[in-house]
Amino acid sequence: MAKPLELVNVEDLTICDSTAQMITKAREDGVELFFDRANAMKACPIGEKSACCKHCSMGPCRMNVNSPYDRVGVCGATVDTILARNFGRMVAAGTAAHTDHGMAMLELFRDVINGKVKDFAIKDPMKLYEVATSLEIPTEGRELKEVAMDLYHELERTYTQVDGEIPMVKRVPKKTLELWRQAGIVPRGAMREIMEMMHRTAIGVDQDYKNITQQISRTALADGWGGSMVSTDISDILFGTPSPVEIEVDMGVLKEDRVNIIVHGHEPILLEAMMISAADPALKQMAVDAGAKGINLVGMCCSGLDVMSRHGLPHAGNFSSTEAVLVTGAVDAMTVDIQCIKQDLKRVADFYDTPFITTNYRAKIEGALHIQLDEHDPLGCTEEIIIKAISRFKTRKKPVRIPRKTVKGVHGFSYEYINYMLGGSFRGSFTPLNDNIINGRIRGVAGVVGCTNPRSKQDYSHVELVKELIRNDVLVLQTGCSQMALAKAGLTGPGAAALAGPGLAEVCETVGMPPILGLGACVDNSRILIAASEMVRVGGLGDCLADLPAAGCAPEWMSEKAIAIGHYFVASGVYVVFGHTFPMTKGTQFEKYLFEGLENEGFGKWAFSDDPKEMARLMIAHIDEKRAALGIDK
Ligand code: SF4
Ligand code: MSK
């Protein structure tokens, strides 16, 4: 039986001190948070292992997780078919989320070029020319607008093309691409791949787990090398390629004497537009007239990560803190767009008299005020939100209690900048990184990414895993809520080099960089793919992505997007460890195929561990194996 809510120790729920304080306050206030529900509602033991199917009304059918081959579904589907179909649908959903986000960014880009959107412009023309060149679009002597329009049409194929290869495969190392071609998994267009994935996993279609996995890989690659990559590149072109900037994080960035507005979600346009409106002298004066010292715009989750890297905007916390931040009573408006927005935020916001505002027609929440953000007039929406926040500031009814903690760190490491720091040119080759890996100062590279989850102590595994990796000279690249876990723990400044092993510490101290580099939002994992491809292109570390001494991990994942990300890394050749839970039944052929079989075919592979020290051990062992194969294991 679940423990009564009040008996769950706050220290068992989170290592984030601010969130812990707000969980305690919520309990005093009688407000239930998702941590409490995760405890009260235990995960279904069959669903947790992904061993059930409800793809038709002859079921739902449940397998025996302790003896998975004891029975089959009413239609005869085996546990392997059921597991593969469920996994495929998670990848399809995750890919749909990233590609729909990317397509919205591409449409914004088109309307900026053709002059229909006037509030934004192309901020990084050099990146535009670089992306165009990488896709073999002629740039010599051509007007920016002409190149931009060609780029738009080329990138549109990422989503809509029904046959052929998506444009970004031109960036994939040759040998990796050859493997994909042989395996028949080069994506056509995301819509086609997602459609086929959904079709093949319907009742009575694809019932061979290996064949289903082929389409899982093709769909996931349409995310990583398609929708996500386009989204990152277009965001850089429109809003600027990030470069390192010192940022203040944690809930102490809220200020009692200011109009505090939280922006949460994923598409940068809402927060970019909010920044323009918050700088409007008339609105600033309105805030002062209401008795405030100013407007305090704060990001959360991935929207916040995206924009803080570009503009140095403060960030209040990750996914598991979005209800807790409302408990401060200091939030004068919370506004959201798409993805990772808990429906419960509305109820908690109501309790603290905080206006909760949705802005995207694709993501409304029952009962919430909806102010549609029209990209042709984004400021119309954001000005209205700020006016609502000012009016709430004026009439704050509940006492405000803001945790004092703030931490400073450095964020905004595009792959271009990582190379520059290591002694290359800003937009040059990755030679210095490769040299430091070959000479052993840097043992390897790890991507530690992904969500937090109320079924796992918030931030704990992210922080412990990363500490263990850098102690062993592994350079860590980060995105998403994981990046914020490390930022709150004070490990995103150059001072973190003191915790690194001697080789990595030497490199960090020489170039003045931290051993943990934050690359942005969860959609920006594509920056890691590009960095890895550059490492292959420069030479000395093998000739495909699977040869690199590299590994990835999402220790506290929760979203289907994380499964799509994990699988596009695996299909690209990377070893990926997931923590806390995995949608898999032990002792099945499908498990063996994902955890071993794919690697035998030249891809990466999946692994699972519940313990951050063990996750680190698995990743380091893999890195060492790759170093040995490259002959650089001295
Ligand atoms: Fe059961 Fe087969 Fe229908 Fe799934 S598709 S619910 S296993 S009968
Ligand atoms: S917000 S997908 S909880 S990283 Fe991108 Fe964080 Fe995971 Fe959402």
Side-chain angles (χ1 to χ4, degrees), residues 266 301-302 319 340 450-452 480-482 522 558-559 561:
H266 279 80
C301 256
C302 279
F319 176 70
C340 301
C451 326
T452 55
C481 292
S482 182
C522 47
M558 65 86 198
S559 166
K561 292 182 287 175

Side-chain angles (χ1 to χ4, degrees), residues 98 264-266 300-303 305 318-320 338-341 449-453 462 479-483 520-523 525 556-562 565:
H98 287 141
H264 161 31
H266 279 80
M300 284 196 94
C301 256
C302 279
S303 281
L305 283 161
N318 54 22
F319 176 70
S320 291
I338 53 159
Q339 300 175 15
C340 301
I341 298 148
V449 306
C451 326
T452 55
N453 186 319
H462 292 288
T479 64
C481 292
S482 182
Q483 183 176 329
C522 47
V523 81
N525 281 308
E556 300 178 24
W557 74 282
M558 65 86 198
S559 166
E560 288 162 318
K561 292 182 287 175
I565 293 167

